[in-house]
Amino acid sequence: MIFESKKALRRTIKAQTATLPADERERQASLVGSYLRDKIRQMGNPTVALFSPLSDELPLDIAALSKLCRVVLPKVDATADIPLMEFYPYSTDSLTVGAYGISEPTSQSPILPEDIDLAIIPGVAFTLEGHRLGRGKGFYDSYLSRSGFRAETIGVCFDHQLLNTLPVEPHDRRVKKVVTASILEQKD
């Protein structure tokens, strides 16, 4: 039952995202990007786990953020029996298209979970309490549960992806904080 609820919700949110005008996407991404730059500056020189945004995710300027910190990006093994994702050092000249059409680092040396200070997490939807609806493969839930993972977690999304409630299962992992453009505008 929960599986079907999540599946239907993913379709609804993706349809809403597809109709979001380009200028509004950019406005929201700019506000969240500014927040992330400030957060990273406050932390000094952290190792930050980011993601290569898909067309229906909040676009992050990874290259700009990498000037402020050590950026690591995920690489997934889509053939594994259990969700397997590792983070690797980012470099503008060392990206390739990986599983699911996502840009991934070509590096072969993964970063240990305990070496990540801040993790910026994508999602199809979030709640203010940090509940997250992912794409259904379990890569992030599995990684956030790993031994040694201690990073502060921030979920980022478009305003319409912030919901009051989400269907939640025991294996679903929460993020510490959720940031959207409207949340940031309320704080000003």
Side-chain angles (χ1 to χ4, degrees):
M1 185 69 173
I2 289 181
F3 174 80
E4 289 303 321
S5 296
K6 287 182 173 184
K7 193 173 175 181
L9 191 52
R10 284 184 189 100
R11 280 193 305 271
T12 299
I13 296 293
K14 286 180 184 184
Q16 291 172 344
T17 304
T19 64
L20 195 62
D23 61 334
E24 182 59 16
R25 283 174 178 265
E26 180 55 38
R27 185 189 74 78
Q28 290 186 39
S30 177
L31 284 169
V32 173
S34 179
Y35 167 83
L36 293 176
R37 285 189 300 278
D38 290 346
K39 174 76 174 168
I40 290 167
R41 283 186 192 106
Q42 291 170 3
M43 294 178 77
N45 188 25
T47 296
V48 180
L50 294 174
F51 59 93
S52 296
L54 294 170
S55 62
D56 62 347
E57 293 175 332
L58 191 80
L60 300 177
D61 188 344
I62 297 169
L65 292 171
S66 72
K67 294 175 182 172
L68 304 172
C69 61
R70 178 183 186 207
V71 169
V72 295
L73 293 177
K75 190 187 304 189
V76 301
D77 181 352
T79 64
D81 290 337
I82 58 169
L84 182 60
M85 178 172 74
E86 297 286 349
F87 284 86
Y88 295 82
Y90 162 79
S91 171
T92 55
D93 58 351
S94 67
L95 292 176
T96 187
V97 177
Y100 309 107
I102 300 169
S103 293
E104 297 179 340
T106 57
S107 171
Q108 299 301 312
S109 301
I111 302 300
L112 296 173
E114 55 267 24
D115 290 340
I116 299 172
D117 301 302
L118 177 64
I120 309 304
I121 312 293
V124 175
F126 289 92
T127 67
L128 277 176
E129 294 77 27
H131 293 290
R132 174 182 169 272
L133 176 66
R135 295 185 175 276
K137 302 291 185 192
F139 291 111
Y140 277 94
D141 290 323
S142 178
Y143 196 86
L144 297 177
S145 298
R146 286 188 55 182
S147 176
F149 183 81
R150 57 160 185 82
E152 179 180 351
T153 53
I154 299 176
V156 295
C157 63
F158 293 111
D159 289 337
H160 70 275
Q161 294 173 294
L162 185 63
L163 306 178
N164 290 327
T165 61
L166 285 172
V168 177
E169 296 177 271
H171 67 268
D172 292 331
R173 295 290 167 250
R174 291 170 40 170
V175 295
K176 181 179 179 185
K177 182 176 189 172
V178 177
V179 175
T180 68
S182 63
I183 290 171
L184 296 170
E185 290 168 330
Q186 291 173 6
K187 292 185 178 191
D188 286 341

